[in-house]
Amino acid sequence: MTNRFDRGLETLKQYVTEEEAAKLVDYDALAITAPDLRKMIVEFAYGDIYSREGLDVKSRALVVITSVVTQGAAPQTKTHIKRGLHAGLSQREIVEALLQLIPYIGFPRVQNALLIAQEVFGE
Amino acid sequence: MTNRFDRGLETLKQYVTEEEAAKLVDYDALAITAPDLRKMIVEFAYGDIYSREGLDVKSRALVVITSVVTQGAAPQTKTHIKRGLHAGLSQREIVEALLQLIPYIGFPRVQNALLIAQEVFGE
Amino acid sequence: MTNRFDRGLETLKQYVTEEEAAKLVDYDALAITAPDLRKMIVEFAYGDIYSREGLDVKSRALVVITSVVTQGAAPQTKTHIKRGLHAGLSQREIVEALLQLIPYIGFPRVQNALLIAQEVFGE
Amino acid sequence: MTNRFDRGLETLKQYVTEEEAAKLVDYDALAITAPDLRKMIVEFAYGDIYSREGLDVKSRALVVITSVVTQGAAPQTKTHIKRGLHAGLSQREIVEALLQLIPYIGFPRVQNALLIAQEVFGE
Amino acid sequence: MTNRFDRGLETLKQYVTEEEAAKLVDYDALAITAPDLRKMIVEFAYGDIYSREGLDVKSRALVVITSVVTQGAAPQTKTHIKRGLHAGLSQREIVEALLQLIPYIGFPRVQNALLIAQEVFGE
Amino acid sequence: MTNRFDRGLETLKQYVTEEEAAKLVDYDALAITAPDLRKMIVEFAYGDIYSREGLDVKSRALVVITSVVTQGAAPQTKTHIKRGLHAGLSQREIVEALLQLIPYIGFPRVQNALLIAQEVFGE
C-alpha cells in the first residue's frame, strides 16, 4: 500500500460510511479482470485529486454529481448522490443543483437524475 | 416586461457587472432571427431557475461551469467562468473544480477549459 | 394555475391522449422530491415552446424524437415516439426518420431506437 | 460511377444548387487522403438513405439539422441549414425547430446554432 | 443478394462464429419494422468498411470497441467485445485498451465497460 | 521528480520527438494557472497507463485517436494523430481507422477528423 493509496482511502471516507470504505477494501468486483482499477481510483481519483486543497468537500461532491448527470451516466449518478449526502450536501441542495441544470442540458437527463435522487433519498 | 423578466434580470446581476447587464438589455445579437431567445433565457433560466432558493449563488455558478465543461462547450465555458468569478468563486476554486473533473471526463476537456480559464483570469 | 400552465396543458393534448393528460395532472412521480419540475415542463416546454407558431405539430414531434435518439436517451425515446404517433406521424415516417439518422450518428443508436419503436408500435 | 452514385447525386440536388453539386463532383477536399469518403457519402448517405421514400425532403432536412445541432457539430450545422433552406424549409421553420430543442438540449447549443443560422440567412 | 451483401457476410465471419452468422441471416429482430437495416449493416458496415484493406482485423475490432465505450453504449459494448475476442484480441488486450481510455474519458465509462467485459469473459 | 514522472516521460518519448519531449519539460502553457496538470498527465496518463504492458504502443495510439475523434475533440485529434504517426502507425492505418468509425459515429465527425489528418500528414 502506497502513501497515495492511504491518503486516497482517508479522503474517500469523507464520502462514504466506514462500512462502505471497508467493503471497498475487502471486496473488488473487478478483482479478476482488472485488479489495478480500484487501486487507480483510490490512488489517483481520491489520493491525488479529491484530497487537494482549495475547494471544500461539499463543492467537490457537487461538481462530480453535475458531471455524471450531464453525461447521463445512471449508475454513477446513484453512487455520487449517495456520496454527496455523506459529504454533507442536503437533499434540497442536490435537488436544486439538478434543477439548475435544466437550462444547460434540458429536461430529460434532469428528470432521470431526479428519479434516481428520489430513490436514494427514500433508502 | 413581465415579473419573471424583472426577477431574471435582477438575478442575472449576481453573475455579471451592471455594465454587462445593461448591454444584455440594450443589445441582442439575435434580435432579428430569434428575438424571443433572450427573453426566454432571462425569464426561464434566470427568473425561474437561478433565482430559486435552497442553493447559494456560488454553488449554482459551479454547477453551470461543470456542466458546460463536461459538454465541451467552449463559448459557454468562457462566459460562465466569468460569471462564476463575479458570483464570488475564487480563481483557485474554479481551477480546483476543473481538476476535480479529470477522473470523470478525462484530461482533454479539462485542459481545454483550463486554457480558457487562464485567458479569462488574465483579462 | 397560470395561463402558461393552461396553455401548456392544452398543447400537451396534441401529443398525448386525454387519459394520459389527466394522469399527468393527477399524478406526479416526483411530487415529493421536485414538485416544481412538472410545472416547469408544462409551463415552459409545452406552454412557451411547443405552443409557438411557425412549425407544425408533426414537425415538432419529429425534432424531439431526433434529438433524444441522437442523445441516446432510451426512456425519452419511448415517450416521444408515442407522442409523435399521437401527433400524427405515421409509423413509416418515424422509421424513416430513424434510418435517416444513420449517416449522422451511426448504426448503434439507430438500432436501439428502432427496437424501442417496434415495441411501441406493437402496443 | 455506380447506379447508387448516380441516384445519390440526383438526390443531393434536392439539397444543394446545381453549382454546388457540380463543385462536389469536380473538387474533393480529401482527394489525396481519403478519396473514398466522398463516394461513400454520395452512394450511402444520399443514394441509399436520403433517396428512400416514406418521408418528405423537408422532414429529412429537419431531422439532419436537429441531429447535428444536438451533437454540437458547428461545421455541419452550417452546411445542413443551407441544405435545409434549399430543400424548402423556411427560415422561420428552422428557427422554430432550433427553439423547440431548448427543453431537450438546453440553451447553449441552441444559441450557438441560432448564431450560425443568422449568419447563413444573411448570406 | 448483392455482391456487397456477400462480401459483408464473409467479412462478418471474421468477427462472429459460423453459428452466429447463420443466425443473423435467418433471424432479423427488426424484420417487421425496418427490414432494410440488417441489409445496410451487412452491406455498408461489413461489405464496404470492415472489408477494406490497410488495417488488420484486430485493429478494426479495437477501434470499434473504443468508440462504443467512449459513447457509453452498453449493448454495443457487449456485442463488440465478443466480436473482438473472435477476431483475435486477447482478454488482456481488451482490458488494457479499456484502461488506456481512463485519461481520455474518465473512470465511470471505463468501469462500466470492464464489468461488461468481465461478464463476457466469464461466458 | 518522482519515479512515476520519469517513467511517464520515458513512455511519452515513444509518442513524441526528443525535441517535443524537451519542450514539454521546459515549457508549460498552464504553469501559472494549474502547474499540477502537466505533472498529472506525465505521471498518471503516461507513467501509470501508457507504460503498462499487454498492449503494444501502436494499438494504444489507435485507441486514443479513436476516443478523441468519437468525442469530437478537435485539438486532441491533431495532437494524437501526430503522436500516433511517431508511435509507428502509418498514414494509411490512421485513415482506415477513421473510416472504420463511420458506421459507429456517422460521417460528420469522421470528415472533420480526416481534414485534420490530412493537414498533419502535409506538415
Side-chain angles (χ1 to χ4, degrees), chain A residues 9-52:
Chain A
L9 203 57
E10 217 45 52
T11 304
L12 180 60
K13 287 176 186 167
Q14 298 179 300
Y15 298 89
V16 301
T17 62
E18 282 288 331
E19 196 181 352
E20 285 167 325
K23 195 181 146 198
L24 274 164
V25 172
D26 285 347
Y27 172 72
D28 177 3
L30 285 162
I32 296 164
T33 306
D36 295 344
L37 184 72
R38 186 181 60 175
K39 190 168 157 284
M40 285 180 199
I41 291 176
V42 175
E43 283 185 359
F44 180 67
Y46 286 91
D48 291 351
I49 304 277
Y50 274 97
S51 67
R52 293 173 61 87

Side-chain angles (χ1 to χ4, degrees), chain C residues 50 52 60 96 100 104, chain D residues 50 52 60 96 100 104:
Chain C
Y50 274 97
R52 293 173 62 86
R60 289 186 186 276
E96 288 301 322
Q100 180 61 50
Y104 297 96
Chain D
Y50 275 96
R52 293 173 62 87
R60 290 187 186 274
E96 287 302 322
Q100 179 62 48
Y104 298 96

Side-chain angles (χ1 to χ4, degrees), chain E residues 15 44-46 49-56 59-64 66-68 70-71 76 80 83 89-90 92-105 107 109, chain F residues 15 44-46 49-56 59-64 66-68 70-71 76 80 83 89-90 92-105 107 109:
Chain E
Y15 297 89
F44 180 67
Y46 287 91
I49 305 277
Y50 274 98
S51 67
R52 293 174 61 87
E53 300 191 349
L55 190 69
D56 62 274
S59 295
R60 289 187 186 275
L62 206 58
V63 162
V64 173
T66 299
S67 183
V68 296
T70 297
Q71 292 178 60
Q76 280 74 29
H80 290 288
R83 294 189 181 175
L89 289 171
S90 68
R92 178 71 190 279
E93 284 173 317
I94 290 170
V95 168
E96 288 301 322
L98 297 178
L99 295 176
Q100 180 60 50
L101 283 170
I102 295 170
Y104 298 96
I105 63 173
F107 287 100
R109 277 172 284 177
Chain F
Y15 298 89
F44 180 67
Y46 287 90
I49 304 277
Y50 274 98
S51 67
R52 293 174 61 88
E53 299 189 351
L55 188 69
D56 62 275
S59 295
R60 289 187 186 275
L62 206 58
V63 162
V64 173
T66 299
S67 183
V68 296
T70 297
Q71 292 177 61
Q76 280 73 29
H80 290 289
R83 294 189 181 176
L89 289 171
S90 68
R92 177 71 190 278
E93 284 173 318
I94 291 170
V95 168
E96 287 301 322
L98 297 178
L99 295 176
Q100 179 62 48
L101 285 169
I102 295 170
Y104 297 96
I105 63 174
F107 287 100
R109 277 172 283 178

Side-chain angles (χ1 to χ4, degrees), chain C residues 11 14-15 49-64 84 87-89 93, chain D residues 55-56 58-59 62 89-90 92-94 96-97 100:
Chain C
T11 305
Q14 298 179 301
Y15 298 89
I49 304 278
Y50 274 97
S51 67
R52 293 173 62 86
E53 300 189 349
L55 188 70
D56 62 273
V57 174
K58 280 174 56 177
S59 295
R60 289 186 186 276
L62 207 57
V63 162
V64 173
L89 289 171
E93 284 173 318
Chain D
L55 189 69
D56 63 273
K58 281 174 58 177
S59 295
L62 207 59
L89 289 170
S90 69
R92 178 71 191 278
E93 284 173 318
I94 290 170
E96 287 302 322
Q100 179 62 48

